[in-house]
Amino acid sequence: MNKQGRQITRRNFIQSSIAAAAAAGVTLGAPTPQSPRWTGQPITIGLIGCGIRGIEQMQNLLGVGAKVAIVCDLYDGHLRRAQELQPNTPVTRDYREVLERKEVDAVLIATSDHWHTRIAIEAMQAGKDVYCEKPMTHTIPEAFEMVKVSHATGRLVQVGSQSLSMQSTHKAKEWLDNGDIGTVYAIQCEIYRPGPVGAWEYPIPPDASPKTIDWERYLGDAPKRPFDAARFFRFRNWWDYGTGISGDEYVHLLSRVHYLMKVQYPVSAVAYGGLYKWKSDRDVPDIHNTLYDYGKFQVATLANLICNYDGGEIVRFFGDRGTIVLTESSTTLLPYDLEWTYGYPLEAWPRDLKNQFIAQHKNDPLADIGTYDEQPHRQKKFFKQTGEGTKDHILNFFQAIQSRQQPIEDVDFGCGTAVACHMANISYREKQGVYWDADHHLLTGEKGSVDMNLA
Ligand SMILES: NC(=O)c1ccc[n+]([C@@H]2O[C@H](COP(=O)([O-])OP(=O)(O)OC[C@H]3O[C@@H](n4cnc5c(N)ncnc54)[C@H](O)[C@@H]3O)[C@@H](O)[C@H]2O)c1
């Protein structure tokens, strides 16, 4: 109880602190340049899934000053690691224990993809806000289930493609919105991850066994099969648990595209790929290239887990006046030298016709057959990013919890990028181009129907 005798609930506690956040000068969607810390009211998180990403996120949560009240995972080794980071942290194999905890304001879900939706929906129904690692869902129908529950419960979802909180993305936004590269008609996204870790051939801990891993729970709704440590620790390699290159990597690139181009869904996608090098019993491709049409522009997405470490993740926005190149750590603006003169074709005309044309077009700048316009006022610009965005993304989520405004990567946004990623997978798996009907949430194939429930 406070001095006025009013009971302090989590909700009114948070509402009353909105002003404090505003006073701290924090703005939704604006990343901070330094290693950020949460300065608002205390926020308590339950972490569900503490493998590679979950452990990293636990460090980020503690690093920004959040409280991690309880950690859930299905492998004892990961739970032991969580307790190394924060001694005596309560741990469990059953995520429902996390949802039952009253002091937990929000959950951070970093499980394998096939568990995201179920846990997120149950968490929202239990009154928790949700930070869900990308890709938001395992299938297209699941994405719309999540949207429905978030809207119905008023619980917030922040999807974890932290590139939206990177300063480099916001610098690109400034330049794009300013018209610095004109109108964008084409975008090229690339991601390359050579080597076994890049190809998700992760090492398996020596104590992996049905004793240390809750295999039955892990399978969930996936087809039943005997214990297989590879399918647990390398889940991305199978459609039953993961979403392939598209759900793992396209989603980072397409999040930037959707955010900066202000679109929610592609209109169509056609994908090609295959398993060229990593030929164990995995069933997702190691090369996956997709061409998307968004109506007013196209996006080519090139990705493989084999070769070419030419900068890792790159998104190139091609406008009619310049190009913006986004990497994980920088943004570059490359204005074009505008070679807009008729000089070159006029060289093939006899002199009298050429002079006649120039005289007739003396007020037309294109008729100038002199040297190309160097456009000296259009300089190359370069912006260097500090940090990698995740802590800012967490802070953006915390600001949303406090203000009850939507975070930067809300459930509707996450649904759009999830649909785009699943379209690439379904096109690849069904061997046909696919078309998205945004009004009816329906996917059709150029050769007939497609299975929207495929990962
Ligand atoms: N945003 C990013 O940059 C980023 C980076 C890496 C991973 N991720 C995402 O994070 C998620 C996890 O990836 P990872 O690399 O940490 O995988 P991982 O295999 O290392 O960890 C997944 C963990 O989830 C646990 N888990 C599975 N089902 C569970 C359940 N029902 N209840 C509790 N725990 C469960 C497993 O025990 C495992 O420890 C994936 O969705 C991945 O796409 C995001």
Side-chain angles (χ1 to χ4, degrees), residues 40 76 106 128 132 163 168 214 230 266 375 417:
D76 293 349
K128 313 296 182 194
C132 181
S163 58
S168 50
D214 192 336
Q375 301 284 322
T417 45

Side-chain angles (χ1 to χ4, degrees), residues 52-53 73 78 111 113 115-116 133-134 160 162 232 236:
I52 301 166
R53 182 59 173 170
D73 200 86
H78 286 156
T111 64
D113 304 345
W115 270 101
H116 286 185
E133 277 300 342
K134 57 77 203 166
Q162 60 278 3
F232 185 84
R236 289 169 173 81

Side-chain angles (χ1 to χ4, degrees), residues 48-57 72-75 78 92-95 109-116 119 131 133-135 160-162 202 217-218 232-236 247-248 252 388 390:
I48 304 175
C50 71
I52 301 166
R53 182 59 173 170
I55 286 294
E56 201 175 18
Q57 287 291 39
C72 171
D73 200 86
L74 304 182
Y75 166 52
H78 286 156
T92 176
R93 284 181 170 189
D94 185 348
Y95 67 87
I109 302 170
T111 64
S112 39
D113 304 345
H114 72 308
W115 270 101
H116 286 185
I119 296 174
Y131 183 115
E133 277 300 342
K134 57 77 203 166
S161 314
Q162 60 278 3
Y202 294 150
R217 200 191 292 265
Y218 170 71
F232 185 84
F233 290 101
R234 301 171 179 170
F235 77 86
R236 289 169 173 81
D248 200 43
H252 286 299
E388 57 79 57
T390 303

Side-chain angles (χ1 to χ4, degrees), residues 251-273:
V251 63
H252 286 299
L253 310 164
L254 292 177
S255 293
R256 285 179 143 177
V257 171
H258 286 203
Y259 180 67
L260 293 172
M261 297 300 291
K262 304 176 176 75
V263 295
Q264 192 177 12
Y265 302 111
V267 175
S268 63
V270 60
Y272 286 95

Side-chain angles (χ1 to χ4, degrees), residues 78-328:
H78 286 156
L79 293 174
R80 285 202 285 123
R81 177 68 185 132
Q83 288 180 321
E84 283 176 5
L85 294 181
Q86 183 177 258
N88 306 318
T89 305
V91 295
T92 176
R93 284 181 170 189
D94 185 348
Y95 67 87
R96 289 166 299 189
E97 276 186 43
V98 178
L99 307 187
E100 280 161 12
R101 293 221 166 199
K102 294 234 169 351
E103 77 273 28
V104 168
D105 298 308
V107 294
L108 191 152
I109 302 170
T111 64
S112 39
D113 304 345
H114 72 308
W115 270 101
H116 286 185
T117 305
R118 181 153 153 198
I119 296 174
I121 285 178
E122 287 183 35
M124 288 188 272
Q125 288 167 341
K128 313 296 182 194
D129 295 314
V130 172
Y131 183 115
C132 181
E133 277 300 342
K134 57 77 203 166
M136 189 171 89
T137 62
H138 197 222
T139 66
I140 290 178
E142 281 183 359
F144 288 95
E145 279 177 51
M146 248 170 91
V147 168
K148 200 166 79 188
V149 176
S150 173
H151 290 177
T153 59
R155 292 294 108 193
L156 302 166
V157 175
Q158 170 88 308
V159 182
S161 314
Q162 60 278 3
S163 58
L164 287 205
S165 292
M166 288 178 178
Q167 302 147 30
S168 50
T169 303
H170 289 266
K171 182 52 75 178
K173 182 168 176 6
E174 180 190 316
W175 291 341
L176 276 166
D177 290 351
N178 196 37
D180 286 357
I181 63 166
T183 304
V184 172
Y185 291 95
I187 298 168
Q188 186 169 308
C189 302
E190 295 169 63
I191 179 140
Y192 306 110
R193 294 170 51 115
V197 168
W200 315 313
E201 297 289 324
Y202 294 150
I204 293 173
D207 71 343
S209 79
K211 263 191 155 171
T212 57
I213 291 168
D214 192 336
W215 175 250
E216 289 308 315
R217 200 191 292 265
Y218 170 71
L219 286 179
D221 294 332
K224 298 286 164 232
R225 56 171 63 244
F227 178 77
D228 183 339
R231 282 178 175 259
F232 185 84
F233 290 101
R234 301 171 179 170
F235 77 86
R236 289 169 173 81
N237 294 316
W238 290 275
W239 297 119
D240 284 348
Y241 330 105
T243 44
I245 293 181
S246 181
D248 200 43
E249 300 301 339
Y250 281 17
V251 63
H252 286 299
L253 310 164
L254 292 177
S255 293
R256 285 179 143 177
V257 171
H258 286 203
Y259 180 67
L260 293 172
M261 297 300 291
K262 304 176 176 75
V263 295
Q264 192 177 12
Y265 302 111
V267 175
S268 63
V270 60
Y272 286 95
L275 203 42
Y276 290 82
K277 174 170 174 173
W278 302 100
K279 298 182 189 216
S280 54
D281 67 336
R282 64 199 275 166
D283 55 18
V284 305
D286 53 17
I287 296 184
H288 192 176
N289 298 323
T290 303
L291 189 59
Y292 290 101
D293 185 20
Y294 280 79
K296 292 189 171 161
F297 60 94
Q298 293 209 344
V299 179
T301 310
L302 309 173
N304 78 62
L305 308 181
I306 301 172
C307 46
N308 189 2
Y309 193 81
D310 184 16
E313 274 179 46
I314 311 172
V315 187
R316 293 184 172 89
F317 293 83
F318 299 117
D320 53 5
R321 289 165 57 84
T323 294
I324 288 177
V325 182
L326 264 172
T327 70
E328 288 158 287

